[in-house]
Amino acid sequence: MILTVDPASALPLFEQLVTGIRGQIIGGSLSAGERLPAARELAESLDINVHTVLRAYQILRDEGFLDLRRGRGAIVADRARDYDELARRVTQLVAEAQRLGLTPAALSSLIREAYE
Amino acid sequence: MNTTSRRREQVIGLALPVAILVISLAVMFWALSDLPDPVAVHWGPAGTPDAFGSPLLAFILMPVTVLAYLALPARVLARAHDRGPTANQRILLAVGPFLSTVLGVVLAGGLAIQRGLDDAAAGPSILPVVALAFGGGIVVGVVSYLLLPAGPAVEAIPDAADLPARPLGVDETAVWIRQVRPVGAALAIILTAGAILFIAGATIVAFVQPIAVLLFVLPALLLVFGYACTYWTLTVDRHGVLLRGALTWPVIRIPLDQIESARVIDVDPLSDFGGWGLRWAPRTTGIIVRRGEALEVARRGRRTLVVTLDRAAPGAELLNALVLRQRGGVR
């Protein structure tokens, strides 16, 4: 697993973490049952506040990607699998958007609209 | 490495042991024409014959043992080692002539001293033959080792600036965390089977002869140590490299400011490190749990660290980026 956070980015730190971890679960480089580092360790590695990591973990739990258990840390949830098809289509979608010269912001706003 | 030193490795590592094998077999055939029946096939500690049988076993034992061993040097030689053989590889290659000499002298000599005897039981002592075998074997092995081309004394350490690095913002922090573990379940199964056999054995012994359980203490420690050195968590972050064994021990830490560069290399456990687990090769410490891709972390003036794991490139690229950024910050 590789995670980066950039305090200079417009995106809040916890959201950068959520995006990074979620992307790797969907992309398949983090698989069900795998244990994530303890929040304290990850915060220390990335030089960020432990509450930022906990907040990211909680959001991912609410989205169903992680199981948080007292004393066992954060584990990639069982239901967080079978994203192969989605990952494939996202790649296609991005390729198509790039062909049409759409910015990432434009594509994500299209996706957001489709949800509403 | 040039072709002459390659040729020398082939001659010493493969051709020499085969030649000794052939000569030994020839001597054994020569002795065969005038041997007692049965021949002595085993000798007691005093060197006198104490078991008798057919000489056939010697004819099978000699080629089977030597040829089985030569599979190892053959594998070393099949692998390109452009910088010359490492000390481990030289030992693997030199053991061939040693083994061939010891076996050849013992087996052929053991038959030759029985030539012309009517009764094998009246044969002379085997001890001079054994002494000659080991003396000769050690001489042949050491000379072979010395004649083998040596790898370079000091290997050039690549500079992080010349290797792929991950783009990293000025304030950006990053972490790369991976599990280091054997491929598939093979090793896990071996370790588990070992543990089960061990517990079963210890239980049985505990019932029969309680004090003998002490015999199992050392193997138990070895098993635990083996497990701890087989599964690791590897972390690369702004502090450098951290490796933690399965039982949160052993811990290996390399501070970022000691690191010169990192790259992905290809590792063959047996020929590069002489085996699996936590290994020490010349100037290199290895955490070797599988064959193939490995992360190599070079330090100036200190031991290089090699950790086997797949998809190691992102880790090497992050480490190079961190090294370059720190260098930039320091200067």
Side-chain angles (χ1 to χ4, degrees):
Chain A
M1 172 182 78
I2 192 157
L3 285 175
T4 62
V5 292
D6 191 352
S9 159
L11 215 59
L13 291 175
F14 74 91
E15 241 180 275
Q16 295 181 36
L17 279 181
V18 168
T19 310
I21 297 169
R22 193 204 282 129
Q24 285 175 81
I25 293 174
I26 292 177
S29 54
L30 275 175
S31 44
E34 216 166 304
R35 188 192 301 260
L36 295 188
R40 191 173 30 82
E41 284 171 29
L42 192 55
E44 165 56 23
S45 279
L46 290 171
D47 199 13
I48 55 180
N49 194 296
V50 66
H51 296 291
T52 311
V53 178
L54 284 171
R55 187 165 173 200
Y57 279 5
Q58 277 153 12
I59 290 170
L60 286 161
R61 180 199 53 199
D62 295 345
E63 289 181 358
F65 287 101
L66 292 184
D67 285 332
L68 296 185
R69 293 198 197 118
R70 196 174 295 277
R72 291 201 58 206
I75 292 170
V76 177
D78 251 352
R79 53 156 294 195
R81 60 186 165 186
D82 299 333
Y83 287 107
D84 292 3
E85 182 60 21
L86 184 65
R88 202 174 56 78
R89 293 203 190 175
V90 168
T91 316
Q92 287 174 350
L93 195 63
V94 170
E96 181 65 9
Q98 278 169 339
R99 195 180 66 82
L100 296 169
L102 240 56
T103 63
L107 178 61
S108 42
S109 72
L110 276 175
I111 294 172
R112 211 171 301 123
E113 265 173 46
Y115 264 98
E116 280 153 11
Chain B
M1 193 182 64
N2 56 39
T3 47
T4 41
S5 59
R6 183 62 149 197
R7 172 59 51 85
R8 199 189 299 177
E9 283 176 60
Q10 287 165 343
V11 167
I12 294 171
L14 293 177
L16 181 59
V18 170
I20 297 169
L21 167 66
V22 169
I23 294 168
S24 308
L25 287 174
V27 171
M28 285 154 73
F29 271 111
W30 164 76
L32 201 56
S33 59
D34 195 12
L35 283 180
D37 181 26
V39 297
V41 293
H42 192 270
W43 288 262
T48 49
D50 65 359
F52 306 91
S54 156
L56 184 67
L57 186 67
F59 282 90
I60 299 171
L61 195 64
M62 175 81 198
V64 166
T65 313
V66 172
L67 293 179
Y69 179 77
L70 290 185
L72 275 180
R75 188 153 144 203
V76 169
L77 289 168
R79 245 174 92 74
H81 40 271
D82 298 335
R83 303 180 299 263
T86 63
N88 266 323
Q89 292 173 328
R90 284 170 83 194
I91 291 169
L92 274 176
L93 291 171
V95 164
F98 165 79
L99 186 70
S100 210
T101 306
V102 171
L103 274 178
V105 174
V106 166
L107 294 176
L111 287 183
I113 57 170
Q114 298 183 57
R115 260 178 68 87
L117 294 176
D118 292 327
D119 179 5
S125 167
I126 190 79
L127 293 183
V129 175
V130 173
L132 179 68
F134 279 94
I138 288 168
V139 169
V140 169
V142 169
V143 169
S144 298
Y145 179 85
L146 295 176
L147 285 178
L148 283 165
V154 177
E155 212 171 295
I157 293 175
D159 194 287
D162 301 331
L163 291 167
R166 177 194 176 88
L168 204 59
V170 185
D171 298 320
E172 198 175 2
T173 56
V175 61
W176 183 68
I177 302 171
R178 289 287 307 278
Q179 304 299 317
V180 178
R181 54 192 44 196
V183 179
L187 203 70
I189 291 169
I190 293 168
L191 280 171
T192 313
I196 291 170
L197 275 178
F198 170 80
I199 292 165
T203 312
I204 291 166
V205 169
F207 276 107
V208 178
Q209 182 59 269
I211 191 71
V213 166
L214 288 175
L215 289 174
F216 286 82
V217 171
L218 185 66
L221 291 176
L222 285 176
L223 207 61
V224 169
F225 187 68
Y227 176 76
C229 293
T230 303
Y231 298 88
W232 299 78
T233 303
L234 168 63
T235 305
V236 170
D237 64 13
R238 64 201 172 98
H239 303 298
V241 174
L242 172 70
L243 272 151
R244 201 177 275 142
L247 309 168
T248 69
W249 171 90
V251 174
I252 297 173
R253 216 183 285 270
I254 302 181
L256 189 61
D257 57 15
Q258 284 182 4
I259 297 172
E260 199 60 39
S261 64
R263 62 178 171 175
V264 179
I265 59 167
D266 186 59
V267 165
D268 182 56
L270 217 47
S271 63
D272 295 340
F273 286 90
W276 288 261
L278 186 53
R279 314 290 308 189
W280 288 270
R283 296 180 300 281
T284 308
T285 301
I287 289 175
I288 308 300
V289 301
R290 56 189 288 170
R291 181 155 31 149
E293 232 178 288
L295 177 69
E296 183 195 66
V297 181
R299 300 189 284 171
R300 191 173 293 285
R302 287 168 184 262
R303 298 176 73 82
T304 296
L305 175 77
V306 172
V307 185
T308 57
L309 81 171
D310 63 337
R311 293 178 286 127
E317 286 164 20
L318 173 59
L319 211 42
N320 286 330
L322 290 167
V323 167
L324 289 174
R325 184 166 72 181
Q326 194 193 43
R327 242 187 246 172
V330 167
R331 275 172 198 164

